[in-house]
Amino acid sequence: MHDHAPSSPLLSGQLNRAFLIGIGLNLLFVTVEAAMGVATGSLALLSDAGHNLSDVASLGLSMVAFRLARIPPTSQYTYGYRKSTILISLLNAVILLVAVGAIGISAIRRLQHPVPLPGGTVAIVAGVGILINAASALLFLKDKDKDLNIKGAYLHLVADALVSLGTLVAGLIMMYTGWFWIDAAVSLLVLIVIVYSTWGLMRDSLRLSLDGVPGGITVEKVQEQARGIPGVVDLHHVHIWAVSTTENALTAHVTIDEALTGEEVERVKRDLKQLLESLNIVHATLETEYSHAGEHAGF
């Protein structure tokens, strides 16, 4: 059985607007925040601006991935460019972790050599950053569990909101206490939170890029439920992988009861197709084998 169901539109008008708004807001804020960071000498502001810039790149890459996924298959790329959504989600995770590393190195250096900073100005700019990043993250909240790229965009924006919150706290502390080392210390604490929240995205993206079994699906679960279909004796040689961040594929051998009539075999086909679709496997190739003599046929 070869089932190649048409993919649903991956980039709706609403989601496209969310990406454009998120990119526009963050790009504007990066410009303002970087300028204020240079003017005040605040590492927290400059670090946050650099992190926001990585978000702009990540949002742009995610939007490109969705557009590539809608390109029809060709004789050279029989699944089209849907795999690009997985590769770009992995790249987004790497970008975020690299940005965290760069900010962490700078924060450690500044922690060793604190410099006086205008805490009030730092706090005001960071407060604006919280509003912009939180508002941008809300644009992706509803769809964040439907696709790794959307989840990556959401995590990037939430991480930036956390960085801005840390910067706001640092600014207030510096303004009232003169503890200028807090600028770098708060940055390091926030970076730990970001790494923790991003690790899952990195792990899932890497697994899918290596054709691992997608999350929420196990070979054992598919086999168990397939054997529960009347007429199916066994399901073996099972391979499951992700075609994109939203579509999964499977190949397997299915052993059919030798006593089935032609009509009953057709019923088994329909039941298997429905089962696989319920497990979010929309591309399936199954080879049938009859239990009595090892005969087989593809369907």
Side-chain angles (χ1 to χ4, degrees):
M1 175 174 67
H2 303 278
D3 175 26
H4 300 291
S7 60
S8 57
L10 293 176
L11 189 61
S12 65
Q14 180 180 357
L15 192 55
N16 187 59
R17 286 192 296 273
F19 275 111
L20 291 175
I21 292 171
I23 290 171
L25 286 175
N26 279 272
L27 193 57
L28 176 63
F29 182 62
V30 163
T31 304
V32 174
E33 189 174 33
M36 293 302 297
V38 171
T40 62
S42 170
L43 174 63
L45 286 181
L46 287 173
S47 298
D48 195 20
H51 192 240
N52 270 287
L53 187 60
S54 75
D55 276 354
V56 173
S58 296
L59 288 170
L61 285 171
S62 295
M63 193 163 66
V64 168
F66 284 120
R67 294 188 182 280
L68 286 174
R70 299 180 70 178
I71 297 176
T74 67
S75 59
Q76 294 294 317
Y77 296 91
T78 54
Y79 279 118
Y81 295 93
R82 296 173 191 174
K83 197 79 168 184
S84 64
T85 59
I86 296 173
L87 298 177
I88 287 180
S89 70
L90 177 61
L91 178 59
N92 277 335
V94 171
I95 288 174
L96 186 54
L97 292 177
V98 168
V100 164
I103 294 170
I105 292 173
S106 298
I108 291 172
R109 291 173 179 171
R110 179 61 64 88
L111 191 61
Q112 296 171 336
H113 305 287
V115 296
L117 298 170
T121 302
V122 171
I124 291 172
V125 176
V128 175
I130 293 173
L131 294 177
I132 288 179
N133 286 299
S136 299
L138 286 175
L139 296 173
F140 301 98
L141 178 62
K142 182 178 69 174
D143 298 313
K144 69 180 178 66
D145 294 323
K146 298 178 181 178
D147 181 270
L148 280 181
N149 275 294
I150 299 175
K151 182 178 181 179
Y154 174 79
L155 287 177
H156 271 271
L157 294 166
V158 169
D160 265 349
L162 288 174
V163 172
S164 294
L165 177 61
T167 304
L168 172 63
V169 172
L172 292 175
I173 293 175
M174 287 186 293
M175 183 170 63
Y176 289 107
T177 66
W179 297 348
F180 298 115
W181 57 267
I182 205 72
D183 178 67
V186 170
S187 293
L188 287 174
L189 289 175
V190 172
L191 293 182
I192 293 172
V193 175
I194 294 173
V195 170
Y196 179 79
S197 65
T198 305
W199 190 250
L201 175 66
M202 180 76 171
R203 181 196 61 227
D204 292 343
S205 300
L206 183 59
R207 183 178 70 248
L208 295 187
S209 68
L210 294 174
D211 287 337
V213 177
I217 302 175
T218 65
V219 172
E220 293 76 18
K221 179 181 179 180
V222 173
Q223 289 176 316
E224 179 183 355
Q225 294 195 22
R227 290 170 187 146
I229 296 175
V232 174
V233 176
D234 191 25
L235 191 75
H236 54 282
H237 296 316
V238 180
H239 300 278
I240 306 173
W241 71 98
V243 177
S244 72
T245 50
T246 57
E247 298 173 284
N248 302 317
L250 170 147
T251 61
H253 289 199
V254 56
T255 305
I256 301 292
D257 188 336
E258 63 180 39
L260 292 184
T261 64
E263 183 178 340
E264 289 172 330
V265 170
E266 290 301 317
R267 186 262 306 160
V268 169
K269 294 180 185 180
R270 290 192 300 271
D271 290 349
L272 276 171
K273 179 179 178 180
Q274 291 174 0
L275 168 64
L276 295 174
E277 287 179 349
S278 72
L279 297 174
N280 196 31
I281 298 172
V282 297
H283 301 272
T285 302
L286 298 172
E287 183 173 338
T288 59
E289 300 173 345
Y290 293 97
S291 58
H292 66 293
E295 299 174 9
H296 62 88
F299 71 90

